[in-house]
């Protein structure tokens, strides 16, 4: 994700998360930490026919990474794009040498929970009223790997005709 992707990402964000959408400033702040030698963020966009149809982001701190967001346009949900974005975030976690990946997921987002479980994430708790202003609880999930294995998953590469996933450089 680059600065010029923020406007189309915001449109998608507001469509998918109308009550708790991130602001322009939040995306700018995240991207400010995704470049250069001290980078500790990885943000990606997925494009199809010149349109952003998904995005995802991760922050790394020590040996732990936190998935900040994964979003897929409504007309691309169920196509495997969410899994491809997750794979790229897990590869980034490996590049950052993280051995634990955390995330929060709305308790009412069963589709996302099933995706994360397929990749080995396990529920470890709840954050009451985490998503505001709707006061929706978050399910906290964690993926833990050994220091030698890393959390990256292999998806066998992109399928023909599937959206391309592009992101920021890790500079490692």
């Amino acid at each position: 994700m680059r600065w010029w992707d923020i406007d189309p990402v915001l449109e998608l964000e507001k469509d998918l998360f109308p009550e708790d959408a991130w602001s322009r400033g939040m995306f700018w702040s995240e991207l400010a930490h995704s470049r250069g030698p001290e980078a500790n963020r990885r943000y990606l966009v997925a494009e199809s026919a010149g349109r952003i149809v998904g995005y995802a982001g991760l922050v790394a701190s020590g040996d732990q990474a936190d998935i900040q967001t994964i979003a897929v346009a409504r007309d691309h949900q169920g196509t495997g794009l969410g899994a491809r974005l997750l794979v790229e975030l897990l590869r980034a976690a490996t590049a950052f040498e993280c051995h634990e990946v955390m995330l929060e997921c709305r308790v009412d987002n069963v589709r996302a929970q099933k995706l994360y479980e397929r990749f080995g994430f396990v529920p470890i708790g709840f954050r009451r009223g985490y998503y505001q202003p709707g006061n929706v609880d978050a399910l906290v999930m964690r993926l833990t790997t050994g220091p030698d294995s890393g959390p990256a998953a292999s998806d066998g590469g992109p399928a023909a005709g599937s959206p391309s996933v592009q992101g920021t450089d890790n500079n490692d």
Side-chain angles (χ1 to χ4, degrees):
M1 184 183 298
R2 305 288 190 185
W3 65 267
W4 54 81
D5 295 321
I6 291 177
D7 283 340
V9 164
L10 276 174
E11 287 179 32
L12 196 50
E13 177 82 2
K14 289 174 184 172
D15 176 53
L16 296 171
F17 312 112
E19 288 189 354
D20 51 4
W22 283 21
S23 68
R24 179 182 314 280
M26 291 171 77
F27 280 107
W28 272 103
S29 178
E30 290 298 295
L31 290 181
H33 297 284
S34 67
R35 308 276 301 161
E38 301 298 317
N40 68 340
R41 309 272 199 293
R42 176 85 168 140
Y43 275 78
L44 313 162
V45 294
E47 294 182 342
S48 179
R51 175 180 148 236
I52 292 180
V53 294
Y55 57 92
L58 170 137
V59 60
S61 179
D63 68 351
Q64 181 177 323
D66 287 290
I67 293 177
Q68 302 295 294
T69 187
I70 295 181
V72 174
R74 295 179 195 281
D75 61 338
H76 280 73
Q77 291 177 0
T79 65
L81 180 56
R84 290 190 54 220
L85 288 165
L86 180 56
V87 164
E88 292 303 318
L89 292 182
L90 294 177
R91 287 183 178 148
T94 297
F96 283 123
E97 299 180 1
C98 297
H99 304 294
E100 181 177 71
V101 181
M102 305 286 293
L103 61 83
E104 291 91 14
C105 179
R106 290 175 61 106
V107 294
D108 56 359
N109 191 344
V110 176
R111 175 182 250 168
Q113 291 171 34
K114 290 181 186 253
L115 169 67
Y116 301 136
E117 287 171 356
R118 280 195 347 244
F119 280 82
F121 283 84
V122 294
I124 61 168
F126 294 93
R127 294 186 189 210
R128 303 287 178 211
Y130 182 79
Y131 292 99
Q132 294 297 327
N135 202 37
V136 177
D137 295 345
L139 175 64
V140 180
M141 301 181 83
R142 176 177 59 204
L143 173 66
T144 306
T145 63
D148 296 327
S149 60
S154 175
D155 67 342
S162 62
S164 64
V165 177
Q166 306 167 353
T168 56
D169 296 327
N170 282 351
N171 295 311
D172 39 315

